[in-house]
Each structure stands twice: as C-alpha cells, then as structure tokens.
Amino acid sequence: MAKITTATLKKMKQQGEKITTITAYDASFAKLFDQAGIHAILIGDSLGMVLQGHDDTLPVSIDDMAYHTLCVSRGVENTLIIADMPFMSFATPEQAYVNATKLMQSGASMVKIEGGQWLESTIKGLVERGIPVCAHLGLTPQSVNVFGGFKVQGRDNEQALAMIANAKALEAAGAQLLVLECIPSSLGKAITDAVAIPTIGIGAGKDTDGQILVMHDALGISCSYMPKFSRNFLIDTGDIKKAIELYITEVSNGNFPGPEHIFK
C-alpha cells in the first residue's frame, strides 16, 4: 500500500471508495493496523477514557497527546496519522498554532479539532501555516457538559440545518476531513453530499465516506460499555489482525455499519 495522504482520501471520496479509520495509542497496535491496510489512524483524546480511566476526555493534556502521537508514529509506514487537539488546547488561534505544532513535530500528519463555525479563523490560520485540519461535528465529546451527557445530536430540523451550515463553513475555512459523531443517518448523508471533503462517521450512518471506531470497542475490550454504533470484530475472528481486516472489508462492502448501529 502506498503512503496515504489527504489527497488519497479525497480521491477515494470522488471514486466512491470507503475510508477505514481506527484509533491507536502505541507503536505495536499502530504497526498492526498499518500492515492490515487501515487508511488513517487517529490518536484520539479518547485515551483519557480507554487508557487513563477517566469518565470523559477533558483531563487529557497536550503533552499526553504528543507522547502517544510519537509512539504511534514509530509504528506506522503508510497510514495517515491524525492527532486530536485536546480540551481547551485551541481556545485561541495562537494557542492552537503552538499546540498543533507539538503534535505535528511528534509525527502527526493532520490535527483534529472539535467545534463549529467559531473555529473558522483557527482552521484558516493552521492551514496557512502548513498544518492540515480534520474538523469534528455532532457529538463533540469535549462539549459533553454543555450537551448534558453523551447524546445524539442533530435530531431536530434546526440543529440539522445548523450542522450542515457548519460543515460547509469549516470546509471553506480549509478543513480537509470531517468527522461526524452520533447523528441521525439521514443527516450524515446530507452533510456528506453537501461537502467535497471526505466525511468519516462514528454513529453517523453508512452513507458517510468512511468509518472510524475506537480500537477498544472494535476489539471488544472496552471496560465500560459497547456503544450502539460499534461492533466487536474480534469475536468473529479470534485474531486481532484478522479482526481489523474484517472491519476494513465490512466497511468497504457496505455491511458496516448495519441497521442496528445507526441512529434515526
């Protein structure tokens, strides 16, 4: 497999090929996922929950993210590496530039930030400075206290229209990838059709350009619960590499997510 870039993912969208993404936090799993053919790896601030044992992602620091990004980068040859900007690490554009630099210097090829149109100037500034950006709409876990918990977003018409407008604005600002989390499948399709950049869904239906899962959920080893939008691929295979290969296959052929994994 050739080196995956943002241009690769955009071409996949244009050709109707599904993109598979998963989280990783260390070199060993990153290498295994890379060899299995995953298109992109996200070093997610989800590490606060699945590695550190917190109830949410808020305690994760930029130093935590830089450390795990460096670990993952040592295991990857071809897969695109995306690193999360943690809670309050991009409150101002200037702060975002400093913290995104730490992640890029640790081996990331792109940073991910959560939020809507208020991030336009930040995204524009990052891209102008040579830092590719993945945006994130829907259930943005860093805003869990504003939402009142981990709840599906965009179910009413006003919310849905606002999210479509946000997606277009973030694309116009320079975002090259868009994660959509926990939204109705119909909204996932509407946003995917509305933007030229690839969309990656997690609980956003099967019509997004790709899917992402937290590796602990995909392997059935999460210590809390299995989200509705996830599937334990390890139970079907009994082998981690085969589980990831099955995940790639099931996304590629349209079998995952199934009806039981989507929100209406």
Side-chain angles (χ1 to χ4, degrees):
M1 185 173 72
K3 183 76 174 175
I4 303 292
T5 66
T6 53
T8 308
L9 301 187
K10 187 169 185 178
K11 185 176 181 182
M12 290 180 70
K13 177 185 176 97
Q14 293 167 345
Q15 295 179 340
E17 299 175 28
K18 292 293 187 180
I19 300 162
T20 50
T21 308
I22 197 166
T23 67
Y25 315 94
D26 64 39
S28 296
F29 277 107
K31 184 174 183 178
L32 186 149
F33 298 160
D34 180 82
Q35 291 176 343
I38 282 283
H39 299 113
I41 287 174
L42 170 69
I43 301 93
D45 60 2
S46 49
L47 68 87
M49 301 173 76
V50 297
L51 296 188
Q52 297 175 339
H54 297 298
D55 293 330
D56 52 44
T57 64
L58 304 189
V60 178
S61 70
I62 190 67
D63 289 335
D64 291 334
M65 294 306 307
Y67 170 78
H68 286 280
T69 299
L70 186 61
C71 292
V72 166
S73 69
R74 290 171 178 155
V76 167
E77 290 186 17
N78 299 313
T79 302
L80 181 72
I81 299 175
I82 309 167
D84 254 334
M85 297 279 286
F87 180 63
M88 290 300 287
S89 66
F90 50 96
T92 66
E94 292 72 22
Q95 189 183 24
Y97 305 155
V98 171
N99 287 321
T101 298
K102 291 180 181 178
L103 298 181
M104 296 294 285
Q105 290 177 337
S106 297
S109 298
M110 172 178 259
V111 299
K112 182 171 78 65
I113 53 178
E114 300 182 7
Q117 286 177 283
W118 69 274
L119 286 171
E120 286 178 280
S121 60
T122 299
I123 291 173
K124 186 173 185 291
L126 286 168
V127 173
E128 285 175 346
R129 287 158 178 79
I131 300 176
V133 175
C134 172
H136 184 159
L137 292 172
L139 173 58
T140 47
Q142 292 172 18
S143 300
V144 63
N145 291 316
V146 175
F147 295 147
F150 294 95
K151 298 179 179 180
V152 177
Q153 302 296 305
R155 275 188 161 143
D156 68 66
N157 190 56
E158 185 178 348
Q159 269 193 342
L161 290 174
M163 206 176 298
I164 294 170
N166 274 317
K168 291 179 177 179
L170 296 174
E171 177 183 31
Q176 292 175 280
L177 199 62
L178 176 61
V179 168
L180 300 172
E181 181 169 357
C182 288
I183 61 174
S185 58
S186 58
L187 181 55
K189 183 179 189 306
I191 294 174
T192 299
D193 291 343
V195 296
I197 59 174
T199 60
I200 308 297
I202 178 165
K206 65 191 304 177
D207 294 309
T208 53
D209 298 306
Q211 300 293 326
I212 183 169
L213 288 176
V214 173
M215 58 165 278
H216 294 68
D217 294 340
L219 299 177
I221 55 174
S222 291
C223 59
S224 52
Y225 74 103
M226 178 67 75
K228 173 185 172 66
F229 52 72
S230 193
R231 172 178 158 188
N232 180 353
F233 289 90
L234 183 59
I235 202 169
D236 297 318
T237 61
D239 178 270
I240 293 176
K241 188 175 182 183
K242 289 180 180 177
I244 301 306
E245 290 170 347
L246 177 61
Y247 167 53
I248 294 170
T249 299
E250 292 287 82
V251 170
S252 297
N253 64 22
N255 287 340
F256 179 81
E260 69 273 25
H261 303 118
I262 67 173
F263 300 105
K264 295 181 180 179

